[in-house]
Each structure stands twice: as C-alpha cells, then as structure tokens.
Amino acid sequence: MNTNHRKKNNKGGSNTALAAVAFQDHMMRNLSLSDPLKKKQIHHGVPKKQLKEVKSVVDSGMRQEGAKTKGASSGAEAKEYVLDQKPQPMTLAQRLGLVEVPDQPLSDLDWRDAKNKSNRRDDSDLPCVICKEEFGLQQQVLLSCSHVFHRNCLQAFERFTGKKTCPMCRKEQYQTRVIHEGAKLHRVKCATRIQACWRGYVVHSWYRKLRQTVPPKDPRLRKKFYEEKLQMITERLLRSFDTKVDAFLAEMDRSITASRDVFKNLEASTLRTITPEEWDGIQLKAVERGKTECPICIMPLHSQDSAQGDAQTPRRTVLLSCTHVFHRVCLEAFEELALAQTKVCPVCRAGYQKRTL
C-alpha cells in the first residue's frame, strides 16, 4: 500500500512540475525573454547590411522614370502576398493543451474563399470604411474575415486602438493579405470614363458638322440657318478682298498735292514779268541748244514762204520763257486748238511767256 501511494505521489508531482515548466516556457516566449544561461554568438565579420551598394543621392530623373515604367508594367501582373509573419512553433504548454493554440495560417484556398465573399459584396468597388475614399491605386488589404481596407488606414487604426481587431466585425487576431481588386476596378473605371469622353467628343463633332451642313426643318431655325450661312459667305468674301482703302486715299492725297504744286508753278511763271536781261539769257540758252526746226510744223525756223508770187516774206519766230522757239503762226494755231485755258509749252508742258523775235 505504501509503495503504490508513493508511486501515485511521484506521478502527480512530475505532472505538476511538467505543467509548471510548460507555463514558464510559454510566458517567457510571450514576453520575449531570453535564456540567461544560453551564450550569445559573437559575429566578428562585417554585417551584411553594410555590404550593400551605396546608391547615388543625386536625382537625375532617369531612375524615377524607369521605376515608374517598371511599376506600371508590373501593376498588371501584381501578385498577392500575406503581410503576417510566419507563426512561431508551438510551445510545450500549447502542445499539452494547457494554452489555447493560435490560429494557423490560411491556405490559398481559404484566402480565395475570403476574397470571393468580399467580391460578392462589392467591397472593393465601395469606398474604404475608415477613410471613406475610393481604393484607387493604393495598397488594399484583405482580412481573414473577408473585409477590405486601405493598408495605411488599417495600420493607423491599429496604432490608435492599440489592439488588433477588425473595424467591421471586431474579430481579433486576424490575418492580412495584400490584394489588388480595387486597383483593377479603378483602372476599368478610368478606361470607361476616357472612352465615354472620347465618344462624346466624336458624337458632338459629328452633330455640329451636321448642323452646319444640313438645314433644319423648323421654319424659324431654317431661316436662322440660312442667315448664318449668308453671313459666313460675306465675311469670307470680305476677308479675301484686299481693299487697301488707306493706301488708295494716301495716293489721292499725293496726286492732289502734286497737282497743286504744278498749278502754283504755272501761276508763278505766267504772272511774273520777265526782264530784258532774263530774255537775253533765255535766248542764249535757245541758241546753245541748236534747234533749227519748229517743233510743231517740223520746218526750218528761218525759211521764206512765196505765198504771193514773187514777194517773199519771212515767217516770224517766237521765243518762249522755257527756251523753246516756234513759228508764230504755228504757236497761235496750237493755242487756238488747245482745250486747256492755261498756256503750256507743246514740248515741255510748262507755262510760258512769249516774245517775238
């Protein structure tokens, strides 16, 4: 009897000691306490982080453009990935059933079911519950409870509350996975808006061209249509017609000024009395010119005319103030036939005073 009782006491004590050790190990792991008896490994080599290549601080612009194109090309083929770290191996207390075992990581099939539930509710098409904005191209997080949020919004919510609970269903210790359903729907919406704007522009241009070419059936609109057409035609004619009114008026002013100058010279030459000394100078110039024929009749200035038998009478010559010489008879006939009231020389068209030689 004593031996059996001792065996039972020894067995109960061993179980209690095992449970105590298991609890102690579990608490140390939760509190991240290290074993003081375990020696730390000393690494004398250079850390791997320091072996990385140092990138240039100067921004040339080429690297960012390459990064943008790379991100744009990889955006269509973006892969989903889990954000949670791998769970630590179970402690002795969890293996003995003394502590509740944490949830195991979800498989790809479980994540697919959770995403299908979210898609059936159109969660990715709705705004984020936390910030009330569309997901757009920002990172989107799917929880194991099938609710979706912005990654930044969820992290800010966790920091604010100090615990890991879903903002929708209050589930604790959820798992997170990055998905891209919101980005896909955002691209589809953008493409739809661009196509709608382009089609609207095409239809509007076609309709405006139709209104410009085909007259409407309503009488008032038809009248207005033809009035606009006539106005367009007249404006086009005016634009193609280069009148140059200013240049025409300037030319008229110049002509009038020139005519006034000519009449002033004529009046000055006819009204002023020429002195005998000036007549001598004019006659000298006429002699120097050496003209021996009358410019009107083309006959010699000093020839004789036998008009009355044997009697010979010389033709008289006239000297003009412009130094030209004519037969007196020819000049008088020219003055009678001239239509202008002002006397002008038949050769130089200048006003003159005459003197018989």
Side-chain angles (χ1 to χ4, degrees), residues 224-326:
K224 185 178 179 181
F225 172 81
Y226 284 114
E227 287 178 354
E228 292 178 354
K229 278 289 185 183
L230 181 61
Q231 185 177 2
M232 290 174 59
I233 293 172
T234 52
E235 289 179 355
R236 194 181 303 170
L237 287 173
L238 290 176
R239 285 196 300 268
S240 61
F241 225 18
D242 191 5
T243 53
K244 295 182 180 179
V245 178
D246 297 336
F248 177 70
L249 294 177
E251 184 66 26
M252 288 181 62
D253 293 339
R254 287 194 295 272
S255 300
I256 292 172
T257 304
S259 300
R260 287 176 180 174
D261 293 339
V262 170
F263 283 114
K264 286 181 181 179
N265 294 331
L266 289 175
E267 292 177 358
S269 61
T270 54
L271 295 178
R272 188 175 64 85
T273 303
I274 302 175
T275 61
E277 291 80 6
E278 293 178 349
W279 278 116
D280 294 340
I282 294 171
Q283 185 174 2
L284 181 60
K285 290 181 179 179
V287 173
E288 291 177 353
R289 185 181 288 110
K291 296 290 185 181
T292 59
E293 295 178 353
C294 176
I296 298 176
C297 64
I298 317 299
M299 296 293 292
L301 293 174
H302 303 288
S303 63
Q304 296 179 351
D305 186 8
S306 57
Q308 298 177 358
D310 296 332
Q312 295 180 354
T313 57
R315 288 187 179 183
R316 293 184 178 182
T317 58
V318 179
L319 174 65
L320 304 186
S321 58
C322 59
T323 69
H324 292 106
V325 182
F326 301 91

Side-chain angles (χ1 to χ4, degrees), residues 23 29 93 100 112 118-119 124 207 263 277 282 287 300 312 315 328:
F23 275 117
R29 286 198 181 184
E100 185 179 359
R112 195 178 305 162
S118 175
N119 292 338
S124 300
Y207 180 72
F263 283 114
E277 291 80 6
I282 294 171
V287 173
Q312 295 180 354
R315 288 187 179 183
R328 179 178 179 181

Side-chain angles (χ1 to χ4, degrees), residues 89-269:
M90 290 189 299
T91 61
L92 182 60
Q94 291 173 350
R95 291 178 183 177
L96 295 176
L98 301 176
V99 180
E100 185 179 359
V101 179
D103 295 337
Q104 297 298 320
L106 298 180
S107 61
D108 292 339
L109 183 60
D110 297 334
W111 281 116
R112 195 178 305 162
D113 294 338
K115 187 169 70 173
N116 290 335
K117 289 180 183 179
S118 175
N119 292 338
R120 283 195 294 268
R121 293 194 304 264
D122 293 334
D123 290 344
S124 300
D125 199 11
L126 300 175
C128 176
V129 180
I130 300 176
C131 64
K132 297 299 181 181
E133 293 182 1
E134 294 184 356
F135 288 101
L137 298 178
Q138 301 181 16
Q139 283 191 350
Q140 183 184 7
V141 175
L142 172 67
L143 306 187
S144 56
C145 57
S146 73
H147 294 115
V148 292
F149 309 94
H150 282 131
R151 181 178 179 181
N152 296 332
C153 296
L154 184 63
Q155 291 176 355
F157 181 80
E158 291 176 354
R159 287 194 300 267
F160 178 75
T161 57
K163 55 182 179 180
K164 197 173 183 180
T165 56
C166 176
M168 292 288 292
C169 62
R170 304 302 178 185
K171 181 182 177 181
E172 297 182 357
Q173 300 302 322
Y174 52 77
Q175 299 181 29
T176 55
R177 182 182 177 91
V178 175
I179 61 175
H180 307 282
E181 297 298 321
K184 292 179 182 177
L185 294 175
H186 179 71
R187 291 191 184 94
V188 172
K189 287 182 181 179
C190 293
T192 304
R193 290 175 185 173
I194 293 172
Q195 291 178 359
C197 292
W198 173 250
R199 290 173 182 173
Y201 170 75
V202 171
V203 173
H204 181 71
S205 302
W206 171 81
Y207 180 72
R208 187 169 60 181
K209 187 176 181 181
L210 181 67
R211 289 295 303 270
Q212 292 177 356
T213 53
V214 180
K217 296 182 180 179
D218 189 2
R220 291 180 298 177
L221 297 177
R222 196 179 186 90
K223 181 179 179 182
K224 185 178 179 181
F225 172 81
Y226 284 114
E227 287 178 354
E228 292 178 354
K229 278 289 185 183
L230 181 61
Q231 185 177 2
M232 290 174 59
I233 293 172
T234 52
E235 289 179 355
R236 194 181 303 170
L237 287 173
L238 290 176
R239 285 196 300 268
S240 61
F241 225 18
D242 191 5
T243 53
K244 295 182 180 179
V245 178
D246 297 336
F248 177 70
L249 294 177
E251 184 66 26
M252 288 181 62
D253 293 339
R254 287 194 295 272
S255 300
I256 292 172
T257 304
S259 300
R260 287 176 180 174
D261 293 339
V262 170
F263 283 114
K264 286 181 181 179
N265 294 331
L266 289 175
E267 292 177 358
S269 61

